[in-house]
Amino acid sequence: MNTEKFPVYFVSHGGGPWPHVEGMRQQFARTARAFAELPLRFPAVPKAVLVISGHWEAHEFMVSTAEHPGMEYDYYGFPEHTYHIRYPAPGSPEIAAHVRSLLGQAGIASGEDPLRGFDHGTFVPLELMYPQANVPIVMLSLKSGYDPLEHIRAGQALAPLREEGVLIMGSGLTYHNMRGFGRDESTPVATAFEKYLQDAISQTDPGTRNRMLIDWESAPGARLAHPREDHLLPLMVVAGAAGGDIGRTLFVDHVMKVPMASYEFGASS
């Protein structure tokens, strides 16, 4: 078992199955390089990756329990071949059960889903990080209602996983307004909102950080950046799991006229 604590991450996963689409792959070249290099920042190969994706929500927190998860092609209008992508990483019923146990110990209700497959918020970063698909993946849903505090508390409950060889990764976007992508007027909105998030995660006091994230709607351009906060809530889980670790910007890609930032908490360097 790994004994060194793993860092935790929020990654902006980009648009649809972009690594498999000519043109988009070149647009996201910065993100592709960063995802491929990410495992170099870990103390070891993780025993499993717990992914909180903005593409899965349920009435309560749900945990994927399949030994061999399938795929969720939850995107539209892409080339036919992107609906046949396979990422054959295993699941881990054992880790899934442990996730549910940790949530339960914190008084957080959860359920299990033996059929949930990999959505693009999961398979896009993971296939670039681990192209051999040899690291087990467990997924945790968002909870409908989008209460930021509930998601922070879920992350706090799951923090012990970091000392057990499990990588916790939230996957969303720092800007997610489908009508705004590619528009000049979206650039200052996305930039101002990302600046607020950067200020929040870099607070030295975790209480202040969490209060800023809970109060995210007060940020400049908040609802223009996130008409629905499904792609923002994974950051709340990550912040909870970060505990007292200070966040930093790992990298920022600029695609479709908006910045897409990814954050890291707790890395040794």
Side-chain angles (χ1 to χ4, degrees), residues 91-244:
S92 175
E94 177 185 3
I95 296 295
H98 187 36
V99 167
R100 292 199 65 201
S101 176
L102 289 172
L103 291 172
Q105 290 170 33
I108 299 171
S110 68
E112 60 181 56
D113 187 337
L115 301 178
R116 179 70 188 183
F118 300 141
D119 59 66
H120 72 268
T122 300
F123 75 75
V124 164
L126 265 299
E127 69 179 351
L128 291 164
M129 291 165 60
Y130 295 108
Q132 295 183 346
N134 56 349
V135 176
I137 300 171
V138 174
M139 294 161 283
L140 173 68
S141 78
L142 303 176
K143 183 178 177 182
S144 298
Y146 295 159
D147 183 335
L149 181 56
E150 282 190 296
H151 288 78
I152 288 172
R153 286 176 173 166
Q156 291 169 336
L158 297 172
L161 294 171
R162 297 177 58 191
E163 299 185 35
E164 299 171 6
V166 176
L167 172 68
I168 300 173
M169 185 175 75
S171 179
L173 284 164
T174 50
Y175 176 93
H176 192 249
N177 184 335
M178 299 304 291
R179 294 184 178 183
F181 286 122
R183 300 174 69 93
D184 289 337
E185 59 267 32
S186 299
T187 305
V189 170
T191 300
F193 185 73
E194 196 281 316
K195 174 63 165 56
Y196 179 91
L197 294 181
Q198 186 180 106
D199 288 346
I201 66 159
S202 61
Q203 294 294 316
T204 56
D205 173 48
T208 302
R209 174 193 68 211
N210 292 346
R211 284 192 295 273
M212 289 181 70
L213 291 176
I214 290 168
D215 197 31
W216 71 272
E217 286 185 90
S218 70
R223 278 298 175 190
L224 290 174
H226 289 275
R228 293 181 76 247
E229 56 267 42
D230 49 344
H231 278 59
L232 180 63
L233 265 292
L235 176 58
M236 312 303 179
V237 181
V238 166

